[in-house]
């Protein structure tokens, strides 16, 4: 058909019929945002709520050429420079929220970055030395663990304070920051958004987060019910625990496996004192029937003796016996209920008596006996890398003689270690909700530890490594009618005894997704990124536990941990461009420099624990690890990844996925199988018929052919296509779903010229500014998206779109526009 006829169709039939019909439907509600600002942490029971009305995006220093210069000299770390020379690291011109910031500069300091300034809606809300801020010097809400320095994270520095804004944000640093990530959310409108107030100290949030790995971070549930079942499972056998029916959710899962012993290979930092004492406050359960304190110590120092006191009254004595170099040891003291019942905390003091040198301490596990069962109610982690934890517990020491890092092993029978590891890998947790099995993962990795029974302490799951300590999960898991928790023993090792417990409470499934734990394991393939998750439908990705077993033998030309050079990349809704593109594996886990403790001999691979990221364990040449093995976790709360039409989340294993390794990962997410984004129309700017059909026009347009690549996994795969650049308004008409709850405009473009800006009009109404500050002269193809609010589109069958480039901005680039309709959350899937 001639082009002129298509043009007539576009301006005649399409516009006349569709636009006439476009106002016939009822106005639909706007698609939901997730919790905004402090509500992210105050409403953690809402994790299953899907959030189609937002996108998550990231600025980072990743190498735009696809190589590994992700920040070493800061080549790609500044989007631009301000007139005063400061480095702009993030900028947005639409409603949204800064969700997470991570930096590393030197392994023990970010002082070289200098001052950081955060400006929201034209007002400075945070400014000061970045080092002081991550040290907590600003005070609440910028205190641990909402901030963390390189001691807290083994090499990185983080700011996890959610900072919403209604129209714009900009982050600058005084000096080039080298390695950094800024993750932010983008909303279609500012409804329900209030600009961050630094005067709100959010003390309730801080208190909640400081209990990570110890207590449920969610608000107390009304009408909860607990069920439990003992079990023994031969190889190949299984057991099931049917849960209370109706519209409910699992609030807590607990598993105890008495035969599984703790992993023996442990790094920890601690302190020692001579004549003097240490004192701290620890939380206990008021309804306790007694309290148990367990001290980890280095028995290489012989004949250590100290008195344990509660409020000045002696309740026990710590003793170590003869020296046993090269080992870890634990000792427990039980305090009778007469000294503890009805109390919520204890003031504990350790007073030096005698020693061959001094008295050392690395951690104190605090358990309260409740209903005859020991339940962990606090953990006091002692040492120079744990000063934030020490401060929260009011820890004080007098007569100090030493502080530092130790690596030792607990005495353990290798056969028992192997059997324990086999159980944790081969005993699978499977959960079925309303007839769908969405959780299928090994119990070790599900609860945070894929290498053995190592202490895992995260916001939503934990592992207590004391004898018969619990594996606990607090992920909320809703269901409409029924749920069954099962254990399947695929290990080949008999499970001689165990207890599985589940607590459920009334809930509603309206707009919520089912909880999933998706495991993937095997050898990483050269040139192929490791896949955490690829799924269809709609949902929210909340994190992953990863077990990495390197295959680089000693004496090789490459570092045995070089698999950590891999970057994470997240592709939402079928996009060819990653919306998140990281700078290294340990960076994704919010550490730095191969998880380095720069304060004590630059030791690499040192475990640490923060609420949303940590390194759980590090093994070398023992306990089933051939060379170097690491187990890490990353949870995404404010920076959770919403998707409406599928997501792919990958990570490289080494630079360009070139380092041999064996990986296993368990991804945590919520979802439903039906998409909430549906393709309504496609405007192919390079195709004459498509241009005519959609009434496409562009003032000052230049048309060219581009051969280049997309960033991410396909950065070596050339793509050739037509592309345009316009200096004046771009106009087209597109069909949309008349029941839409808003639109998403998805653009394929050339990003050679950064800072493209255009005002977006829908049917002549301004709906926002489409701002893209990114630029790449190597991988020039880019896909990005702009959300149109429901108030501008609801009830319409077609819309007129006008993009007006702003004065001073580069020409607006476009090759193809895909128009997605937000279709809501069908209740039938």
């Amino acid at each position: 058909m001639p082009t002129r006829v298509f043009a007539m169709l576009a301006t005649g039939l399409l516009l006349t019929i569709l636009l006439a019909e476009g106002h016939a439907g009822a106005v639909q509600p706007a698609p939901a945002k997730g919790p905004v600002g402090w509500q992210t942490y105050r409403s953690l029971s809402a994790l299953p709520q899907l959030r189609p009305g937002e996108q998550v995006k990231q600025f980072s220093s990743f190498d735009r050429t696809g190589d590994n210069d992700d920040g070493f000299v800061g080549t790609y770390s500044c989007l631009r420079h301000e007139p005063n020379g400061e480095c702009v690291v993030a900028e947005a011109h639409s409603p949204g929220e800064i969700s997470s910031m991570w930096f590393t500069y030197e392994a023990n300091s970010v002082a070289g970055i200098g001052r950081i300034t955060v400006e929201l809606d034209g007002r400075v809300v945070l400014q000061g030395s970045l080092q002081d801020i991550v040290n907590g010097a600003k005070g609440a809400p910028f205190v641990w663990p909402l901030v963390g320095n390189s001691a807290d994270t083994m090499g990185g520095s983080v700011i996890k304070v959610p900072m919403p804004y209604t129209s714009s944000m900009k982050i600058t640093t005084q000096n080039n920051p080298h390695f950094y990530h800024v993750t932010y959310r983008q909303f279609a409108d500012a409804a329900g958004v209030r600009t961050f107030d630094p005067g709100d100290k959010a003390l309730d949030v801080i208190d909640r987060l400081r209990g990570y790995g110890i207590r449920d971070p969610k608000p107390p549930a009304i009408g909860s019910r607990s069920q439990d079942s003992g079990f023994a499972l031969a190889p190949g056998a299984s057991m099931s625990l049917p849960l209370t029916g109706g519209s409910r959710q699992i609030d807590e899962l607990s598993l105890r496996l008495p035969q599984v012993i703790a992993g023996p290979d442990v790094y920890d930092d601690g302190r020692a004192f001579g004549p003097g004492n240490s004192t701290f406050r620890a939380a206990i359960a008021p309804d306790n029937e007694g309290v148990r304190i367990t001290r980890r110590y280095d028995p290489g120092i012989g004949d250590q003796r100290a008195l344990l006191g509660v409020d000045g009254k002696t309740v026990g004595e710590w003793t170590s016996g003869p020296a046993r170099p090269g080992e870890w040891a634990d000792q427990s003291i039980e305090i009778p209920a007469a000294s503890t019942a009805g109390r919520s905390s204890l003031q504990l003091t350790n007073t030096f008596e005698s020693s061959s040198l001094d008295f050392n301490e690395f951690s104190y596990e605090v358990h309260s006996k409740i209903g005859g069962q020991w339940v962990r109610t606090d953990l006091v982690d002692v040492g120079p890398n744990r000063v934030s934890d020490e401060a929260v517990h009011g820890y004080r020491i007098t007569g100090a003689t030493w502080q530092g890092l130790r690596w030792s092993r607990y005495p353990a029978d290798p056969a028992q270690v192997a059997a324990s590891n086999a159980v944790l890998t081969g005993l699978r947790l499977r959960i079925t909700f309303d007839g769908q099995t969405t959780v299928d993962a090994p119990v070790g990795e599900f609860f945070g530890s894929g290498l053995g029974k190592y202490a895992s302490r995260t916001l939503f799951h934990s592992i207590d490594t004391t004898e018969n300590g619990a594996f606990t999960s607090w992920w909320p898991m809703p269901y409409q009618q029924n749920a069954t928790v099962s254990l399947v023993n695929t290990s080949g090792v008999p499970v001689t005894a165990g207890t599985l417990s589940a607590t459920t409470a009334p809930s509603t499934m309206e707009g919520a997704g089912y909880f999933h734990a998706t495991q993937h394991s095997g050898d990483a393939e050269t040139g192929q990124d490791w896949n955490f998750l690829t799924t269809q439908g709609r949902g929210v990705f909340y994190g992953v536990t990863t077990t990495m077993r390197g295959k680089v033998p000693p004496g090789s030309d490459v570092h045995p941990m070089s698999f950590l050079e891999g970057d994470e990349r997240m592709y939402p809704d079928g996009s060819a461009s990653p919306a998140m593109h990281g700078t290294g594996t340990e960076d994704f886990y919010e550490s730095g420099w191969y998880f380095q403790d720069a304060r004590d001999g630059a030791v690499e691979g040192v475990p640490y624990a923060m609420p949303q990221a940590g390194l759980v364990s590090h093994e070398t040449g023992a306990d089933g690890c051939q060379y170097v093995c690491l187990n890490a976790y990353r949870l995404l709360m404010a920076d959770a990844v919403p998707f409406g039409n599928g997501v792919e989340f990958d990570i490289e294993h080494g630079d360009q996925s070139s380092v041999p390794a064996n990986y296993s990962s368990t991804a945590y997410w919520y979802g439903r199988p039906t998409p909430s984004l549906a393709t309504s129309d496609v405007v192919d700017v390079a195709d004459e018929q498509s241009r005519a059909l959609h009434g496409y026009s562009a003032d000052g347009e230049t048309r060219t052919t581009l051969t280049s690549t997309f960033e991410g996994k396909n950065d070596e795969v050339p793509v050739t296509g037509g592309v345009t650049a316009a200096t004046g308004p771009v106009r087209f008409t597109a069909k949309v779903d008349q029941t839409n709850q808003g639109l998403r405009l998805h653009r394929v473009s050339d990003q050679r010229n950064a800072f493209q800006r255009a005002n977006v009009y829908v049917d002549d109404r301004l709906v926002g500014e489409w701002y893209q500050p990114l630029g790449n002269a190597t991988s020039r193809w880019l896909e990005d998206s702009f959300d149109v609010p429901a108030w501008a589109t609801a009830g319409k069958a077609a819309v007129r779109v006008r993009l007006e480039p702003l004065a001073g901005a580069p020409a607006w680039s476009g090759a193809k526009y895909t128009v997605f309709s937000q279709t809501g959350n069908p209740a039938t899937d």
Side-chain angles (χ1 to χ4, degrees):
M1 188 179 293
T3 300
R4 193 176 111 183
V5 177
F6 273 98
M8 292 173 61
L9 177 63
T11 57
L13 182 62
L14 184 68
L15 292 181
T16 301
I17 296 178
L18 292 181
L19 293 176
E21 293 177 348
H23 298 277
V27 174
Q28 300 296 315
K33 302 179 181 69
V36 178
W38 292 121
Q39 284 305 113
T40 298
Y41 296 109
R42 288 174 174 148
S43 59
L44 289 171
S45 293
L47 261 62
Q49 196 73 32
L50 304 185
R51 44 176 76 180
E54 65 175 81
Q55 301 179 64
V56 68
K57 299 183 177 182
Q58 185 182 77
F59 295 103
S60 82
S61 56
F62 77 92
D63 189 332
R64 274 39 170 188
T65 70
D67 291 330
N68 201 38
D69 181 15
D70 292 319
F72 294 102
V73 294
T75 307
Y76 306 100
S77 302
C78 300
L79 299 175
R80 61 182 173 84
H81 288 88
E82 296 281 70
N84 64 1
E86 291 199 344
C87 170
V88 178
V89 298
E91 191 170 28
H93 293 175
S94 58
E97 177 183 282
I98 299 170
S99 302
S100 176
M101 289 185 269
W102 166 89
F103 300 88
T104 192
Y105 196 81
E106 296 174 345
N108 65 345
S109 174
V110 290
I113 297 174
R115 180 178 60 252
I116 186 172
T117 301
V118 177
E119 183 180 301
L120 305 180
D121 298 328
R123 181 168 64 94
V124 173
V125 299
L126 178 65
Q127 187 174 62
S129 158
L130 178 60
Q131 185 65 65
D132 287 348
I133 291 169
V134 299
N135 286 348
K138 278 281 185 183
F142 296 95
V143 294
W144 181 85
L146 284 166
V147 302
N149 59 27
S150 56
D152 298 312
T153 68
M154 293 298 102
S157 291
V158 295
I159 300 175
K160 309 294 286 187
V161 173
M163 293 183 266
Y165 48 90
T166 61
S167 61
S168 66
M169 71 88 165
K170 182 171 66 175
I171 303 173
T172 62
T173 56
Q174 182 179 2
N175 302 313
N176 188 306
H178 291 189
F179 292 88
Y180 85 96
H181 306 159
V182 172
T183 308
Y184 67 107
R185 299 160 68 189
Q186 181 175 295
F187 306 140
D189 58 38
V193 180
R194 296 180 60 184
T195 306
F196 171 71
D197 176 9
D200 183 351
K201 297 184 182 299
L203 298 179
D204 61 319
V205 173
I206 293 166
D207 179 67
R208 181 172 297 173
L209 294 183
R210 285 177 173 175
Y212 70 99
I214 303 298
R215 58 183 184 266
D216 189 344
K218 306 188 302 297
I222 298 174
S224 62
R225 177 184 176 185
S226 295
Q227 300 170 249
D228 59 74
S229 177
F231 63 87
L233 295 175
S238 63
M239 63 83 64
S240 295
L241 178 63
L243 303 182
T244 301
S247 184
R248 300 178 70 84
Q249 74 176 23
I250 300 173
D251 265 347
E252 179 177 299
L253 280 178
S254 179
L255 176 67
R256 293 180 187 266
L257 297 167
Q259 77 191 78
V260 173
I261 66 170
D265 208 347
V266 174
Y267 292 75
D268 201 359
D269 63 319
R271 301 185 186 275
F273 58 92
N277 63 48
S278 68
T279 183
F280 57 88
R281 182 165 291 276
I284 62 174
D287 57 346
N288 75 82
E289 302 154 9
V291 170
R292 185 181 73 192
I293 312 295
T294 303
R295 162 186 165 238
R296 173 184 288 164
Y297 66 96
D298 175 6
I301 305 301
D303 301 316
Q304 300 175 49
R305 294 167 62 88
L307 297 177
L308 173 64
V310 173
D311 300 329
K313 179 182 178 181
T314 299
V315 294
E317 183 181 41
W318 301 111
T319 60
S320 69
R324 305 189 306 278
E327 295 182 6
W328 285 117
D330 294 343
Q331 182 188 355
S332 295
I333 294 177
E334 294 188 17
I335 305 173
S339 299
T340 63
R343 304 181 61 175
S344 59
S345 66
L346 298 177
Q347 187 70 36
L348 301 168
T349 302
N350 303 300
T351 303
F352 181 86
E353 285 190 288
S354 61
S355 171
S356 63
L357 181 61
D358 50 22
F359 178 90
N360 63 65
E361 52 193 7
F362 290 78
S363 67
Y364 291 95
E365 301 263 9
V366 181
H367 290 76
S368 299
K369 182 178 282 188
I370 303 172
Q373 181 76 64
W374 290 112
V375 177
R376 186 167 63 174
T377 52
D378 210 345
L379 169 61
V380 183
D381 204 348
V382 173
N385 290 326
R386 302 292 174 256
V387 294
S388 298
D389 196 306
E390 290 178 339
V392 167
H393 290 93
Y395 176 86
R396 297 288 185 273
I397 185 171
T398 61
T401 57
W402 173 86
Q403 64 176 25
L405 179 71
R406 282 283 185 269
W407 171 86
S408 294
R409 288 177 60 85
Y410 282 96
D413 176 2
Q416 193 175 6
V417 172
S420 294
N421 292 351
V423 168
L424 295 180
T425 302
L427 182 62
R428 298 190 73 86
L429 174 70
R430 292 177 181 163
I431 309 179
T432 300
F433 302 106
D434 298 327
Q436 304 174 58
T437 300
T438 62
V439 173
D440 188 354
V443 294
E445 198 164 84
F446 176 85
F447 289 101
S449 180
L451 292 177
K453 189 179 181 182
Y454 287 97
S456 172
R457 184 187 176 197
T458 85
L459 190 62
F460 273 98
H461 50 263
S462 72
I463 298 176
D464 176 357
T465 57
T466 58
E467 185 177 355
N468 198 27
F471 298 71
T472 308
S473 162
W474 295 290
W475 291 103
M477 307 180 193
Y479 54 94
Q480 290 178 303
Q481 297 177 347
N482 54 71
T484 301
V485 182
S486 301
L487 293 170
V488 182
N489 186 6
T490 69
S491 70
V493 175
V495 177
T496 56
T499 304
L500 175 65
S501 301
T503 301
T504 64
S507 181
T508 174
M509 280 294 295
E510 184 178 354
Y514 288 104
F515 178 76
H516 294 66
T518 302
Q519 195 237 356
H520 176 203
S521 63
D523 288 336
E525 298 181 29
T526 301
Q528 297 291 319
D529 293 358
W530 180 258
N531 180 238
F532 289 146
L533 178 67
T534 296
T535 190
Q536 301 303 310
R538 64 191 189 277
V540 188
F541 177 93
Y542 277 107
V544 64
T545 293
T546 312
T547 308
M548 300 163 278
R549 295 176 171 88
K551 291 189 172 184
V552 178
S556 300
D557 293 335
V558 297
H559 193 290
M561 293 188 197
S562 57
F563 53 85
L564 295 175
E565 295 298 329
D567 304 339
E568 81 278 6
R569 282 91 75 100
M570 183 276 292
Y571 307 86
D573 307 313
S575 175
S577 296
M580 298 173 67
H581 194 311
T583 58
T585 299
E586 77 274 35
D587 304 354
F588 173 62
Y589 296 104
E590 299 194 320
S591 180
W593 308 104
Y594 288 8
F595 303 104
Q596 185 180 133
D597 180 0
R599 291 158 187 75
D600 209 319
V603 179
E604 296 172 337
V606 177
Y608 69 98
M610 290 281 278
Q612 299 181 61
L615 181 68
V616 175
S617 56
H618 171 194
E619 294 182 344
T620 53
D623 307 321
C625 175
Q626 184 177 16
Y627 300 128
V628 173
C629 302
L630 302 172
N631 176 205
Y633 63 91
R634 169 72 186 278
L635 304 185
L636 300 95
M637 295 291 109
D639 48 349
V641 176
F643 54 93
N645 194 16
V647 71
E648 179 181 347
F649 207 129
D650 303 327
I651 194 166
E652 297 175 294
H653 47 99
D655 181 21
Q656 299 179 343
S657 291
S658 60
V659 179
N662 178 278
Y663 275 28
S664 179
S665 58
T666 295
Y668 311 103
W669 59 287
Y670 294 86
R672 292 271 190 144
T674 302
S676 59
L677 282 177
T679 302
S680 293
D681 212 341
V682 177
V683 183
D684 188 343
V685 179
D687 180 80
E688 292 298 334
Q689 292 186 349
S690 183
R691 288 167 68 101
L693 181 62
H694 295 91
Y696 177 90
S697 67
D699 295 351
E701 183 182 59
T702 302
R703 302 176 66 176
T704 59
T705 298
L706 173 64
T707 298
S708 189
T709 59
F710 286 94
E711 296 164 347
K713 63 181 179 179
N714 290 320
D715 61 6
E716 295 184 354
V717 181
V719 175
T720 299
V723 65
T724 69
T727 58
V730 175
R731 306 174 184 85
F732 59 85
T733 298
K735 296 179 293 183
V736 298
D737 188 324
Q738 197 163 355
T739 63
N740 78 82
Q741 297 179 9
L743 306 178
R744 180 164 295 169
L745 305 180
H746 186 79
R747 174 182 64 144
V748 181
S749 66
D750 179 0
Q751 63 167 327
R752 178 184 61 180
N753 295 319
F755 303 104
Q756 296 180 35
R757 302 175 62 186
N759 280 333
V760 181
Y761 294 83
V762 172
D763 294 332
D764 297 322
R765 300 175 72 183
L766 178 64
V767 295
E769 180 186 329
W770 196 335
Y771 179 46
Q772 182 51 269
L774 297 177
N776 192 331
T778 301
S779 290
R780 289 170 55 178
W781 286 116
L782 175 71
E783 295 192 14
D784 67 340
S785 296
F786 176 89
D787 283 340
V788 179
W791 58 258
T793 65
K796 298 180 180 180
V799 294
R800 294 187 302 267
V801 177
R802 185 170 82 252
L803 309 171
E804 291 192 355
L806 273 68
W812 182 258
S813 174
K816 181 186 291 185
Y817 296 91
T818 301
V819 181
F820 293 97
S821 294
Q822 296 277 8
T823 58
N825 293 324
T828 56
D829 58 5

PDB file of all heavy atoms in Angstrom, residues 353-365:
ATOM      1  N   GLU A 353      40.555 -12.676  86.095  1.00  0.00           N
ATOM      2  CA  GLU A 353      41.105 -13.312  87.291  1.00  0.00           C
ATOM      3  C   GLU A 353      42.572 -13.673  87.079  1.00  0.00           C
ATOM      4  O   GLU A 353      43.444 -13.244  87.827  1.00  0.00           O
ATOM      5  CB  GLU A 353      40.319 -14.579  87.629  1.00  0.00           C
ATOM      6  CG  GLU A 353      38.962 -14.342  88.244  1.00  0.00           C
ATOM      7  CD  GLU A 353      38.380 -15.645  88.758  1.00  0.00           C
ATOM      8  OE1 GLU A 353      37.974 -16.492  87.925  1.00  0.00           O
ATOM      9  OE2 GLU A 353      38.350 -15.812  89.999  1.00  0.00           O
ATOM     10  N   SER A 354      42.844 -14.474  86.018  1.00  0.00           N
ATOM     11  CA  SER A 354      44.226 -14.896  85.777  1.00  0.00           C
ATOM     12  C   SER A 354      44.338 -15.466  84.372  1.00  0.00           C
ATOM     13  O   SER A 354      43.333 -15.806  83.735  1.00  0.00           O
ATOM     14  CB  SER A 354      44.660 -15.958  86.801  1.00  0.00           C
ATOM     15  OG  SER A 354      43.834 -17.108  86.686  1.00  0.00           O
ATOM     16  N   SER A 355      45.573 -15.566  83.877  1.00  0.00           N
ATOM     17  CA  SER A 355      45.828 -16.128  82.546  1.00  0.00           C
ATOM     18  C   SER A 355      47.323 -16.234  82.345  1.00  0.00           C
ATOM     19  O   SER A 355      48.120 -15.545  83.005  1.00  0.00           O
ATOM     20  CB  SER A 355      45.226 -15.222  81.464  1.00  0.00           C
ATOM     21  OG  SER A 355      45.634 -15.623  80.176  1.00  0.00           O
ATOM     22  N   SER A 356      47.726 -17.101  81.396  1.00  0.00           N
ATOM     23  CA  SER A 356      49.135 -17.133  81.017  1.00  0.00           C
ATOM     24  C   SER A 356      49.523 -15.871  80.263  1.00  0.00           C
ATOM     25  O   SER A 356      50.703 -15.538  80.167  1.00  0.00           O
ATOM     26  CB  SER A 356      49.413 -18.361  80.148  1.00  0.00           C
ATOM     27  OG  SER A 356      48.675 -18.278  78.924  1.00  0.00           O
ATOM     28  N   LEU A 357      48.561 -15.137  79.724  1.00  0.00           N
ATOM     29  CA  LEU A 357      48.835 -13.862  79.050  1.00  0.00           C
ATOM     30  C   LEU A 357      47.697 -12.870  79.291  1.00  0.00           C
ATOM     31  O   LEU A 357      47.894 -11.838  79.928  1.00  0.00           O
ATOM     32  CB  LEU A 357      49.041 -14.074  77.544  1.00  0.00           C
ATOM     33  CG  LEU A 357      49.354 -12.814  76.722  1.00  0.00           C
ATOM     34  CD1 LEU A 357      50.656 -12.169  77.216  1.00  0.00           C
ATOM     35  CD2 LEU A 357      49.430 -13.153  75.234  1.00  0.00           C
ATOM     36  N   ASP A 358      46.520 -13.171  78.751  1.00  0.00           N
ATOM     37  CA  ASP A 358      45.375 -12.283  78.893  1.00  0.00           C
ATOM     38  C   ASP A 358      44.096 -13.091  78.641  1.00  0.00           C
ATOM     39  O   ASP A 358      44.147 -14.306  78.410  1.00  0.00           O
ATOM     40  CB  ASP A 358      45.479 -11.063  77.963  1.00  0.00           C
ATOM     41  CG  ASP A 358      45.795 -11.453  76.524  1.00  0.00           C
ATOM     42  OD1 ASP A 358      45.536 -12.618  76.133  1.00  0.00           O
ATOM     43  OD2 ASP A 358      46.294 -10.599  75.755  1.00  0.00           O
ATOM     44  N   PHE A 359      42.974 -12.417  78.674  1.00  0.00           N
ATOM     45  CA  PHE A 359      41.656 -13.031  78.478  1.00  0.00           C
ATOM     46  C   PHE A 359      41.088 -12.492  77.177  1.00  0.00           C
ATOM     47  O   PHE A 359      40.960 -11.270  76.996  1.00  0.00           O
ATOM     48  CB  PHE A 359      40.750 -12.677  79.658  1.00  0.00           C
ATOM     49  CG  PHE A 359      39.342 -13.213  79.551  1.00  0.00           C
ATOM     50  CD1 PHE A 359      39.019 -14.465  80.057  1.00  0.00           C
ATOM     51  CD2 PHE A 359      38.326 -12.460  78.960  1.00  0.00           C
ATOM     52  CE1 PHE A 359      37.705 -14.959  79.980  1.00  0.00           C
ATOM     53  CE2 PHE A 359      37.033 -12.944  78.882  1.00  0.00           C
ATOM     54  CZ  PHE A 359      36.724 -14.197  79.384  1.00  0.00           C
ATOM     55  N   ASN A 360      40.742 -13.393  76.219  1.00  0.00           N
ATOM     56  CA  ASN A 360      40.257 -12.906  74.929  1.00  0.00           C
ATOM     57  C   ASN A 360      38.796 -13.257  74.706  1.00  0.00           C
ATOM     58  O   ASN A 360      38.270 -14.210  75.296  1.00  0.00           O
ATOM     59  CB  ASN A 360      41.142 -13.393  73.779  1.00  0.00           C
ATOM     60  CG  ASN A 360      41.158 -14.901  73.632  1.00  0.00           C
ATOM     61  OD1 ASN A 360      40.148 -15.526  73.324  1.00  0.00           O
ATOM     62  ND2 ASN A 360      42.347 -15.502  73.849  1.00  0.00           N
ATOM     63  N   GLU A 361      38.157 -12.484  73.853  1.00  0.00           N
ATOM     64  CA  GLU A 361      36.732 -12.662  73.547  1.00  0.00           C
ATOM     65  C   GLU A 361      36.491 -12.216  72.114  1.00  0.00           C
ATOM     66  O   GLU A 361      37.025 -11.201  71.664  1.00  0.00           O
ATOM     67  CB  GLU A 361      35.872 -11.856  74.523  1.00  0.00           C
ATOM     68  CG  GLU A 361      36.275 -10.395  74.642  1.00  0.00           C
ATOM     69  CD  GLU A 361      35.628  -9.688  75.830  1.00  0.00           C
ATOM     70  OE1 GLU A 361      34.971 -10.353  76.641  1.00  0.00           O
ATOM     71  OE2 GLU A 361      35.802  -8.458  75.940  1.00  0.00           O
ATOM     72  N   PHE A 362      35.690 -12.999  71.390  1.00  0.00           N
ATOM     73  CA  PHE A 362      35.401 -12.722  69.984  1.00  0.00           C
ATOM     74  C   PHE A 362      33.911 -12.512  69.738  1.00  0.00           C
ATOM     75  O   PHE A 362      33.529 -11.700  68.899  1.00  0.00           O
ATOM     76  CB  PHE A 362      35.945 -13.844  69.098  1.00  0.00           C
ATOM     77  CG  PHE A 362      37.443 -13.857  69.026  1.00  0.00           C
ATOM     78  CD1 PHE A 362      38.206 -14.377  70.065  1.00  0.00           C
ATOM     79  CD2 PHE A 362      38.104 -13.329  67.930  1.00  0.00           C
ATOM     80  CE1 PHE A 362      39.594 -14.380  70.008  1.00  0.00           C
ATOM     81  CE2 PHE A 362      39.487 -13.317  67.864  1.00  0.00           C
ATOM     82  CZ  PHE A 362      40.237 -13.844  68.911  1.00  0.00           C
ATOM     83  N   SER A 363      33.083 -13.241  70.425  1.00  0.00           N
ATOM     84  CA  SER A 363      31.646 -13.020  70.331  1.00  0.00           C
ATOM     85  C   SER A 363      30.960 -13.650  71.538  1.00  0.00           C
ATOM     86  O   SER A 363      31.504 -14.555  72.181  1.00  0.00           O
ATOM     87  CB  SER A 363      31.060 -13.602  69.039  1.00  0.00           C
ATOM     88  OG  SER A 363      31.131 -15.015  69.042  1.00  0.00           O
ATOM     89  N   TYR A 364      29.763 -13.141  71.821  1.00  0.00           N
ATOM     90  CA  TYR A 364      28.913 -13.696  72.866  1.00  0.00           C
ATOM     91  C   TYR A 364      27.529 -13.958  72.278  1.00  0.00           C
ATOM     92  O   TYR A 364      26.833 -13.030  71.858  1.00  0.00           O
ATOM     93  CB  TYR A 364      28.794 -12.738  74.060  1.00  0.00           C
ATOM     94  CG  TYR A 364      30.080 -12.583  74.837  1.00  0.00           C
ATOM     95  CD1 TYR A 364      30.961 -11.534  74.570  1.00  0.00           C
ATOM     96  CD2 TYR A 364      30.431 -13.494  75.833  1.00  0.00           C
ATOM     97  CE1 TYR A 364      32.141 -11.383  75.280  1.00  0.00           C
ATOM     98  CE2 TYR A 364      31.604 -13.355  76.556  1.00  0.00           C
ATOM     99  CZ  TYR A 364      32.467 -12.305  76.262  1.00  0.00           C
ATOM    100  OH  TYR A 364      33.639 -12.169  76.965  1.00  0.00           O
ATOM    101  N   GLU A 365      27.146 -15.233  72.209  1.00  0.00           N
ATOM    102  CA  GLU A 365      25.802 -15.623  71.781  1.00  0.00           C
ATOM    103  C   GLU A 365      24.915 -15.670  73.028  1.00  0.00           C
ATOM    104  O   GLU A 365      25.287 -16.277  74.043  1.00  0.00           O
ATOM    105  CB  GLU A 365      25.816 -17.007  71.131  1.00  0.00           C
ATOM    106  CG  GLU A 365      26.717 -17.104  69.903  1.00  0.00           C
ATOM    107  CD  GLU A 365      25.935 -16.933  68.617  1.00  0.00           C
ATOM    108  OE1 GLU A 365      24.732 -16.574  68.681  1.00  0.00           O
ATOM    109  OE2 GLU A 365      26.510 -17.173  67.549  1.00  0.00           O
TER     110      GLU A 365
END
